[in-house]
Amino acid sequence: GIIKYLYLISEGDFTLQEKYRGEVINKDNGNNLVVKRCELSTENRKSLQEQFDFTVPKVLGLCNSFGFGDRIGLANAGHIRSLQGSDFKAILAQQSIRELTRTNRKPEEVMNAAVWAVFQEGYEDGFGADADHLKTTEDIDLMVNAGFTMFTFDPGEYVVNEADSISEEMLEKKIDLVDWQTLNGDYQLLQSSYVRDEIKIAEDFSLSPTTIDLKRAVVKYGNAIAHIKKMYDYLKSIYPNYNSEVEISVDETDTVTSPFEHFFIAGELKRLGVELASLAPRFVGAFEKGIDYRGDLDLFKTEYIKHLDIVKYYGSYKISLHSGSDKFSVYKVIGTLKEAFTHVKTAGTSYLEALKVTALKNPTLFKEILDFSRSIYESEKQTYHVSADLNSLKPSSEYRDIELVRLFEDDDCRQILHVCFGRVLTDRNEDGSFKFKEKIVSCLEENESTHYEILINHFNKHLDPFKQL
């Protein structure tokens, strides 16, 4: 592989050099010139951030933003370049606790990769850092200490999916199990707020929630809202001077978030003093990992406009699209709607583009990864929303090298490769060396310009539909 360094060249005054750890590699006493070579370490990154404000993650607030997850740590520069000509702001350091666990990375490593890329590219437009899918207060501590600025709370474990279908009698039993103390109220309070003949949301859109609608919403999301409130209060009380913004994700659930449920969640969070930057509902249709949207696009558009109207009604947050990788048909729909700001979150698609580089430049390595992924797919897919058919992907020996890149156009192949990233990046041989990770990294480092080019093309496809905004 290729190692990058930070070089400091000073003439006369060397106080700045002392803030960085490294070795002096050249001293020219005649010109009083000193060159110091420094590793791209956490310590040196923090020194850099003290000196250059543009390398410090910001709270982005209400604007169009794009989340680029980078599981290997070499894609950030390509991500930054892909944003040229777009009004989207970048969220570069973005990794969920699940991804950190699966890739054996620390939050500091994710931050390092983002900051050094920002410095390399001279990207001064400001970037965010998303601590994604946080479930506990320990998660918050971990990510605050690493300097993340956006905190995505995932209360999915507290969402009661069966509330959509169980009897009213069962609902009433479950209403008693809601954490009313944290919600600072009772069912009667909510009944008087939400059960009305008409709540006018927009010119041609009203809600008329019934008692049963409210009961279902309370059972489905009540404890999730209580959990969000606890997480939010912890962040704001333990770190009162820390600059942060909060996203709520209820997208990884089995059942769709109806417009009334969105209205209810946003209304309750507002009542409880939880300030949202963005909310990710569970939209209609299938948002599977690594492939385009599956579902009725006209229905999606109709429902999405209702969700947008609710955002405008409350007027203080943006709508967030999770599992946003490769949802090209959805971007075409959203790109035509100019009423609200959007946050798109992607992660796995950059890993797939990295594998595409290996398929082009080191087909033997890619074939090994393909066979390995096929062998572990059934066990690895358990925590993912995917539908790939393993039988549609042949053993690698049956593909010619020239056919490998075409596999990235195949939905089944994309998903099989996608969900196996954790094992591909962490499994080791008996002697302790990595099975694949170091080889992938070397291939990407040696073909850096190809890697960036592939990323730019791929993310232009994500961003172009929004350029008509």
Side-chain angles (χ1 to χ4, degrees):
I2 293 158
I3 301 175
K4 291 185 179 179
Y5 293 99
L6 175 72
Y7 288 90
L8 303 171
I9 304 168
S10 311
E11 202 176 3
D13 182 6
F14 306 118
T15 46
L16 190 61
Q17 285 204 4
E18 284 157 20
K19 292 184 177 173
Y20 293 85
R21 184 170 286 191
E23 59 170 323
V24 172
I25 56 166
N26 189 1
K27 252 190 174 148
D28 182 344
N29 292 332
N31 292 329
N32 208 7
L33 204 67
V34 170
V35 180
K36 190 173 192 177
R37 184 175 69 192
C38 308
E39 287 185 0
L40 306 188
S41 62
T42 303
E43 195 182 345
N44 286 337
R45 181 256 296 171
K46 288 177 176 174
S47 298
L48 190 81
Q49 288 178 304
E50 281 173 26
Q51 204 176 336
F52 297 102
D53 188 54
F54 71 88
T55 64
V56 180
K58 306 281 183 285
V59 168
L60 296 182
L62 273 180
C63 64
N64 285 322
S65 50
F66 200 98
F68 296 97
D70 179 9
R71 291 167 178 173
I72 298 171
L74 295 172
N76 285 295
H79 292 156
I80 290 167
R81 292 179 193 189
S82 73
L83 280 168
Q84 270 186 339
S86 160
D87 75 335
F88 275 71
K89 288 261 193 277
I91 290 189
L92 293 174
Q94 171 203 294
Q95 204 119 70
S96 66
I97 300 295
R98 174 174 69 188
E99 287 172 321
L100 288 169
T101 307
R102 289 201 167 174
T103 53
N104 283 343
R105 287 176 94 199
K106 292 187 168 59
E108 286 72 19
E109 292 173 63
V110 178
M111 186 63 74
N112 291 350
V115 170
W116 290 116
V118 165
F119 187 65
Q120 173 186 305
E121 296 299 305
Y123 180 71
E124 297 191 24
D125 290 352
F127 69 100
D130 181 5
D132 194 17
H133 285 292
L134 308 184
K135 298 185 177 193
T136 67
T137 53
E138 289 80 18
D139 293 344
I140 294 174
D141 295 335
L142 183 73
M143 302 311 256
V144 166
N145 290 332
F148 284 73
T149 51
M150 176 175 164
F151 294 79
T152 300
F153 297 155
D154 176 0
E157 289 161 26
Y158 297 88
V159 174
V160 180
N161 288 298
E162 62 269 25
D164 284 8
S165 53
I166 56 180
S167 68
E168 191 161 1
E169 189 188 357
M170 280 295 290
L171 286 170
E172 277 162 14
K173 283 183 185 159
K174 286 186 180 287
I175 283 171
D176 293 338
L177 302 175
V178 170
D179 179 358
W180 291 109
Q181 191 180 348
T182 303
L183 293 178
N184 199 11
D186 55 26
Y187 179 76
Q188 274 60 47
L189 171 79
L190 302 192
Q191 172 108 12
S192 61
S193 301
Y194 292 100
V195 179
R196 286 186 257 159
D197 289 342
E198 186 184 46
I199 304 170
K200 196 166 171 57
I201 304 291
E203 200 50 52
D204 51 0
F205 172 42
S206 297
L207 291 169
S208 308
T210 61
T211 306
I212 191 88
D213 290 335
L214 179 65
K215 284 176 180 171
R216 291 199 193 285
V218 168
V219 171
K220 187 171 174 182
Y221 290 115
N223 282 333
I225 292 166
H227 180 65
I228 292 163
K229 168 73 173 157
K230 286 178 184 165
M231 295 277 279
Y232 183 84
D233 287 353
Y234 182 86
L235 175 64
K236 296 297 177 184
S237 62
I238 302 292
Y239 305 100
N241 303 317
Y242 190 78
N243 212 1
S244 62
E245 58 186 342
V246 169
E247 170 166 287
I248 304 303
S249 148
V250 290
D251 69 300
E252 289 202 359
T253 56
D254 299 336
T255 53
V256 170
T257 309
S258 70
F260 170 64
E261 287 166 343
H262 176 173
F263 179 79
F264 170 72
I265 293 166
E268 284 305 280
L269 291 173
K270 191 168 188 174
R271 177 177 72 81
L272 292 166
V274 175
E275 279 185 44
L276 285 187
S278 46
L279 175 74
R282 167 73 166 83
F283 292 110
V284 67
F287 280 78
E288 293 188 22
K289 298 293 183 187
I291 62 171
D292 204 342
Y293 176 76
R294 288 183 173 171
D296 179 337
L297 279 170
D298 291 332
L299 176 63
F300 173 83
K301 184 172 185 173
T302 309
E303 291 297 295
Y304 191 83
I305 289 169
K306 291 177 190 170
H307 285 293
L308 281 189
D309 285 336
I310 292 162
V311 170
K312 282 187 284 180
Y313 177 92
Y314 287 113
S316 57
Y317 58 97
K318 55 192 167 188
I319 206 153
S320 188
L321 205 64
H322 286 204
S323 295
S325 295
D326 316 302
K327 302 298 178 287
F328 305 115
S329 57
V330 165
Y331 308 142
K332 287 191 179 103
V333 171
I334 301 173
T336 62
L337 306 169
K338 300 168 177 60
E339 289 94 352
F341 292 113
T342 309
H343 176 58
V344 180
K345 192 172 292 202
T346 69
T349 197
S350 293
Y351 168 72
L352 292 178
E353 295 306 287
L355 293 189
K356 193 187 280 183
V357 179
T358 66
L360 274 168
K361 300 293 186 180
N362 188 342
T364 311
L365 171 62
F366 176 72
K367 284 180 168 183
E368 287 173 24
I369 294 168
L370 184 67
D371 289 335
F372 179 71
S373 299
R374 284 179 77 246
S375 73
I376 61 169
Y377 172 68
E378 290 299 335
S379 61
E380 292 302 296
K381 72 175 186 183
Q382 299 306 321
T383 54
Y384 281 104
H385 188 46
V386 285
S387 60
D389 174 13
L390 197 53
N391 297 320
S392 73
L393 192 62
K394 297 182 289 197
S396 69
S397 57
E398 295 184 33
Y399 295 104
R400 291 177 301 146
D401 288 0
I402 202 163
E403 296 174 297
L404 297 175
V405 174
R406 290 290 300 276
L407 290 175
F408 288 87
E409 293 164 29
D410 178 84
D411 285 355
D412 291 322
C413 179
R414 289 184 70 80
Q415 292 199 330
I416 290 163
L417 291 172
H418 182 291
V419 302
C420 298
F421 76 90
R423 297 267 314 265
V424 169
L425 295 176
T426 57
D427 269 30
R428 293 173 185 265
N429 298 311
E430 282 176 14
D431 65 0
S433 61
F434 281 107
K435 262 188 183 156
F436 306 110
K437 184 184 178 180
E438 283 164 357
K439 292 175 189 164
I440 296 171
V441 167
S442 291
C443 181
L444 296 175
E445 286 173 345
E446 284 157 18
N447 299 284
E448 185 177 42
S449 56
T450 305
H451 184 205
Y452 291 169
E453 203 177 302
I454 281 175
L455 286 166
I456 293 163
N457 289 339
H458 189 58
F459 282 105
N460 282 345
K461 278 195 249 170
H462 286 72
L463 291 156
D464 284 351
F466 294 99
K467 287 186 181 165
Q468 57 207 327
L469 286 179

